[in-house]
Amino acid sequence: MSERRVEVIEAGRVPYRQALDWQRALAQARIDGGLEEDVLLLLEHPPVVTLGRTARGAHVLRPEGVDGPGQLVGYPILDLHAAPYRQDLHWYLRTLEDALIAALAELEVPAERRAGYTGVWTGGGRKIASIGVHVKQWVTWHGFALNVTTDLSAFERIVPCGISGVEMTSVERETGNGKRETGLWDATVAAVVRGFERAFSVEAKATLAGV
């Protein structure tokens, strides 16, 4: 494993706008040299709809709010200039997918890519994780959202990722583990961190912190 380290910050529930400002500040600090190590923010959002650059108004069927509680959201702030990384956006996207696929395998959820799309699907063809990234001067922000105990009925209010007819799923649904207090959330966080370490060839150090 590489000696490159990533600080993993488990931040709990953070409003989307606050998290956006936080990761933007971290990314700029990484660009400017004020942040010495890469960071992986892991958190949840209160209910929110986020629209990507290719989204259209018609993708929001009911605008009262979706996503958030029960979704493990990861925002990697990585400087892709140096090994073991690559200055290659496609490599970065595929490696994020690899990290999530490895994490889901540890949770006994078979998962895979789908040709022509970004994100992660189960072996049954249901989408379980979405990915949307931004890169500035080869420093990354934004990231992924993995459905853990998400209320899947919320996705009826939107066209998820603009993919008509897509069926969303969660770790809870795929494993039959329906209670958060059983440790499903903590097990998923731990699996994602280990998957991230393996996929990106880094060493993670964990921190519990708020904004």
Side-chain angles (χ1 to χ4, degrees):
M1 178 166 298
S2 167
E3 294 182 356
R4 187 154 183 171
R5 298 202 306 177
V6 174
E7 181 180 6
V8 178
I9 301 176
E10 295 183 44
R13 188 170 294 187
V14 181
Y16 177 77
R17 178 57 59 182
Q18 191 174 358
L20 182 64
D21 291 342
W22 189 15
Q23 61 177 308
R24 183 181 285 124
L26 288 171
Q28 191 60 52
R30 197 73 176 102
I31 291 168
D32 295 339
L35 184 65
E36 293 184 356
E37 293 185 328
D38 296 326
V39 173
L40 173 61
L41 299 178
L42 294 176
L43 47 85
E44 289 181 274
H45 291 311
V48 62
V49 175
T50 61
L51 299 178
R53 293 181 179 179
T54 61
R56 302 191 303 274
H59 293 158
V60 181
L61 306 178
R62 291 160 51 198
E64 60 269 37
V66 203
D67 297 355
Q71 261 194 345
L72 177 58
V73 179
Y75 293 132
I77 314 298
L78 309 181
D79 183 351
L80 300 183
H81 284 97
Y85 306 145
R86 302 179 193 173
Q87 295 178 51
D88 183 327
L89 186 56
H90 292 288
W91 171 86
Y92 177 58
L93 289 169
R94 301 294 83 79
T95 306
L96 273 181
E97 291 167 346
D98 287 343
L100 295 173
I101 290 169
L104 288 164
E106 186 174 323
L107 297 167
E108 299 184 351
V109 178
E112 61 192 15
R113 297 187 181 92
R114 175 170 289 186
Y117 295 100
T118 297
V120 177
W121 277 256
T122 65
R126 295 177 290 275
K127 192 171 188 183
I128 195 167
S130 301
I131 295 175
V133 304
H134 181 81
V135 176
K136 180 181 179 182
Q137 296 181 39
W138 292 110
V139 171
T140 69
W141 48 302
H142 290 300
F144 62 84
L146 173 63
N147 298 327
V148 182
T149 57
T150 315
D151 177 5
L152 297 173
S153 67
F155 289 105
E156 297 172 6
R157 303 174 191 170
I158 62 173
V159 179
C161 305
I163 305 173
S164 180
V166 67
E167 181 182 1
M168 302 299 291
T169 190
S170 65
V171 176
E172 176 185 56
R173 176 182 175 184
E174 297 299 318
T175 61
N177 187 337
K179 295 184 178 180
R180 181 165 178 155
E181 57 265 30
T182 61
L184 180 62
W185 180 268
D186 290 343
T188 302
V189 169
V192 166
V193 171
R194 286 190 288 268
F196 196 89
E197 285 184 306
R198 290 193 293 270
F200 284 94
S201 298
V202 296
E203 178 185 355
K205 59 174 187 177
T207 302
L208 288 173
V211 179

